[in-house]
Amino acid sequence: MSSHRKPRTSTPFTRRAVRVGLFAAGVAGVATAVPAQAASNGPAKVAVASDHVFSRANQLDHTEAKDSFTIRQYGKVSAANVRNQANAVSSGCSADDACRSVALSFQIVTFAGEQTRLNAVNLSDAANKSCTGCQTLAGAYQFVVSTPTPLTLDSAHRRQLADIHRRLDALTRSKVPAADLRAQADGLAAEVNAVLKDAVDNAPKGDAQQDVTMRRHLDGWPPR
């Protein structure tokens, strides 16, 4: 019998969006940028995004695999509250009759503004409940694109992202071992990051810095 659950804690910290960084597994990403100045014309616009993928495998349904791939473009905002989460649970199976639960969530958010207040949360949790020999994996990948002027992804970049989405669907529903699935999910995330960086590099420049920030959080059983 095995039981696996890791406590999750989120610590807010103040910062503007930074250049792309691959956060190590086991660290939940929470970022808060410098407060926005009061809008001079009209009410301030606030962007809110929340994506959550949950999968559960048990004796009645031995395999469950779900993924999400969302693109949210908000234009110019004074504040952005974005949350991405993946949860996977395996329960009540045995080594001879093992379960497999996979949940992967990819969230892409773009917004514009020179002093945008950002609150970004990216979490994942995988739990084995009395499930010896089960494979359980939860992965959350969050991409925050900040530019001084609104960014609209063109058709070429959207086609590239659509292709990555199709391959994510196939990977999620595959039967590759958990360790290989982790590595391949990381590879797809790196491709998403490259596409977004290319889109930003070709976008109109402004006084403020243009950034693509990737946050990665993976949790799973077996651990490796």
Side-chain angles (χ1 to χ4, degrees):
M1 177 180 295
S2 68
S3 178
H4 172 71
R5 181 178 290 280
K6 296 180 182 177
R8 295 285 166 246
T9 57
S10 299
T11 303
F13 57 92
T14 302
R15 49 166 273 182
R16 292 190 61 183
V18 297
R19 290 204 175 275
V20 58
L22 182 63
F23 281 28
V27 180
V30 180
T32 304
V34 177
Q37 295 177 337
S40 58
N41 296 314
K45 180 181 177 182
V46 178
V48 178
S50 181
D51 295 291
H52 183 199
V53 175
F54 176 75
S55 67
R56 178 186 292 275
N58 53 39
Q59 291 174 315
L60 298 178
D61 185 3
H62 285 72
T63 301
E64 182 160 287
K66 295 182 179 179
D67 66 71
S68 174
F69 191 102
T70 59
I71 302 173
R72 304 180 184 278
Q73 299 188 82
Y74 289 102
K76 195 162 188 177
V77 301
S78 62
N81 296 303
V82 296
R83 182 182 182 89
N84 186 43
Q85 188 169 348
N87 294 87
V89 176
S90 294
S91 62
C93 299
S94 65
D96 295 330
D97 194 21
C99 291
R100 179 182 174 92
S101 180
V102 176
L104 297 174
S105 183
F106 279 53
Q107 181 191 61
I108 299 169
V109 178
T110 75
F111 62 82
E114 295 187 355
Q115 292 188 356
T116 300
R117 185 174 65 252
L118 171 65
N119 180 43
V121 178
N122 188 58
L123 301 168
S124 70
D125 182 76
N128 270 14
K129 298 180 178 180
S130 301
C131 204
T132 303
C134 295
Q135 293 192 55
T136 312
L137 179 67
Y141 296 85
Q142 184 182 60
F143 307 84
V144 177
V145 182
S146 175
T147 54
T149 58
L151 171 69
T152 300
L153 295 170
D154 60 25
S155 58
H157 290 113
R158 281 190 167 275
R159 282 195 300 271
Q160 289 175 289
L161 293 174
D163 176 66
I164 297 171
H165 186 186
R166 285 191 293 271
R167 286 184 282 141
L168 174 65
D169 287 341
L171 175 63
T172 303
R173 289 155 182 78
S174 71
K175 295 182 179 180
V176 299
D180 293 338
L181 198 155
R182 286 169 177 265
Q184 292 184 45
D186 280 348
L188 293 177
E191 289 188 46
V192 171
N193 190 69
V195 171
L196 296 176
K197 287 188 67 176
D198 184 69
V200 167
D201 288 344
N202 289 282
K205 303 299 186 291
D207 294 334
Q209 185 176 357
Q210 303 189 136
D211 293 298
V212 179
T213 301
M214 182 176 80
R215 297 179 179 85
R216 164 192 181 269
H217 193 269
L218 274 170
D219 190 26
W221 191 262
R224 290 290 175 191

